[in-house]
């Protein structure tokens, strides 16, 4: 089966590399009326849409490839710095495996449970404990024997929201099994939820 053709406006994406929170893309449009046949941009996407920022165009392919390479290097360095923070904080960050958590079955309810994401479904730079441990906050896939598969999550290290499939879940952790950083993240999340609930009741 042919790969799906990706488009950014009138440009067809011919090269891309996703690292960290953004993807760097290189596109081509040989029919461009202004002669700007090539473009490079950052792409930020989720399961609903993609947004392209900092778009640069050129009629010179080697020039746009140079920009593409520079942007990849810059994004890689930014990601390296961000992902090094746990190490500087003294946080053990080795990937969690099956032996570190309790496996789940189709009958398990994951709503409100602390889940561990399989390392191999994460991009290479994110295969570490601080990126695996999430609080499952809902989604059809969180319910037992559901036809849906999406699980909505909150990252206990960064507090960011994310979405995974139920098959991406390696297992669950009890609160007493959590490392200290994850316990703190869970407390902070619950405090925010309580504060939001109190403000909504006023």
């Amino acid at each position: 089966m042919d790969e799906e053709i990706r488009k950014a406006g009138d440009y067809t994406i011919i090269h891309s590399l996703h690292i960290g929170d953004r993807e760097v893309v290189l596109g081509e449009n040989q029919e461009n009326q202004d002669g700007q046949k090539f473009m490079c941009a950052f792409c930020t996407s989720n399961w609903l849409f993609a947004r392209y920022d900092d778009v640069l165009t050129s009629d010179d392919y080697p020039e746009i490839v140079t920009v593409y390479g520079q942007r990849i290097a810059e994004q890689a360095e930014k990601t390296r710095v961000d992902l090094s923070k746990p190490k500087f904080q003294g946080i053990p960050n080795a990937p969690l495996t099956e032996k570190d958590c309790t496996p789940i079955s189709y009958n398990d309810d994951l709503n409100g449970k602390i889940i561990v994401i399989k390392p191999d479904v994460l991009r290479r730079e994110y295969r570490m404990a601080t990126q695996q441990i999430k609080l499952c906050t809902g989604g059809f896939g969180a319910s037992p024997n559901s036809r849906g598969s999406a699980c909505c999550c909150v990252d206990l290290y960064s507090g960011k929201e994310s979405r995974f499939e139920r098959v991406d879940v390696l297992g669950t952790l009890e609160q007493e099994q959590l490392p200290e950083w994850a316990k703190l993240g869970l407390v902070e999340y619950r405090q925010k939820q309580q504060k939001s609930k109190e403000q909504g009741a006023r």
Side-chain angles (χ1 to χ4, degrees), residues 180-195:
E180 289 303 316
W181 62 263
K183 290 179 181 177
L184 179 60
L186 184 61
V187 169
E188 290 178 346
Y189 172 76
R190 287 175 173 167
Q191 287 175 342
K192 287 180 182 177
Q193 291 297 104
Q194 183 61 33
K195 185 176 180 181

Side-chain angles (χ1 to χ4, degrees):
M1 182 180 294
D2 294 336
E3 291 186 15
E4 181 182 354
I5 296 176
R6 289 180 60 191
K7 302 284 284 188
D10 294 328
Y11 290 89
T12 300
I13 303 303
I14 57 174
H15 296 293
S16 66
L17 183 70
H18 203 155
I19 182 166
D21 59 355
R22 294 200 293 182
E23 180 182 22
V24 186
V25 300
L26 192 155
E28 178 182 48
N29 176 13
Q30 291 293 336
E31 307 302 320
N32 186 280
Q33 298 300 311
D34 298 322
Q36 302 297 294
K37 297 178 180 180
F38 308 103
M39 77 88 177
C40 181
F42 288 108
C43 177
T44 305
S45 61
N46 57 30
W47 55 94
L48 293 176
F49 65 90
R51 186 182 75 241
Y52 296 90
D53 298 308
D54 297 329
V55 179
L56 289 178
T57 61
S58 176
D59 61 353
D60 186 326
Y61 184 65
E63 178 185 55
I64 210 71
V65 170
T66 299
V67 173
Y68 177 67
Q70 290 171 341
R71 288 187 169 187
I72 288 175
E74 291 167 1
Q75 182 66 11
E77 177 60 15
K78 174 182 176 294
T79 303
R80 187 194 68 79
V81 171
D82 289 344
L83 294 179
S84 295
K85 290 176 182 177
K87 181 173 64 177
F88 297 141
Q89 296 166 354
I91 294 175
N93 209 14
L96 299 180
T97 64
E98 288 181 353
K99 64 181 176 55
D100 298 310
C101 55
T102 302
I104 64 169
S105 71
Y106 289 111
N107 298 319
D108 290 323
D109 188 345
L110 300 183
N111 287 286
K113 295 287 185 66
I114 299 158
I115 61 174
V116 178
I117 303 300
K118 296 175 182 176
D120 58 351
V121 306
L122 299 171
R123 293 203 307 277
R124 288 175 176 82
E125 66 270 30
Y126 288 134
R127 293 173 185 174
M128 53 188 68
T130 49
Q131 305 295 323
Q132 289 177 271
I133 302 178
K134 320 279 184 182
L135 175 66
C136 183
T137 58
F140 290 116
S143 299
N145 302 304
S146 173
R147 291 185 179 180
S149 60
C151 295
C152 300
C153 309
V154 171
D155 188 303
L156 291 186
Y157 179 72
S158 68
K160 294 179 179 178
E161 296 181 354
S162 56
R163 174 187 179 275
F164 289 90
E165 300 297 304
R166 189 180 178 99
V167 295
D168 297 336
V169 178
L170 183 66
T172 60
L173 291 173
E174 297 299 326
Q175 190 167 339
E176 56 269 20
Q177 295 176 284
L178 293 178
E180 289 303 316
W181 62 263
K183 290 179 181 177
L184 179 60
L186 184 61
V187 169
E188 290 178 346
Y189 172 76
R190 287 175 173 167
Q191 287 175 342
K192 287 180 182 177
Q193 291 297 104
Q194 183 61 33
K195 185 176 180 181
S196 178
K197 195 177 295 184
E198 291 172 354
Q199 290 176 340
R202 292 175 184 173

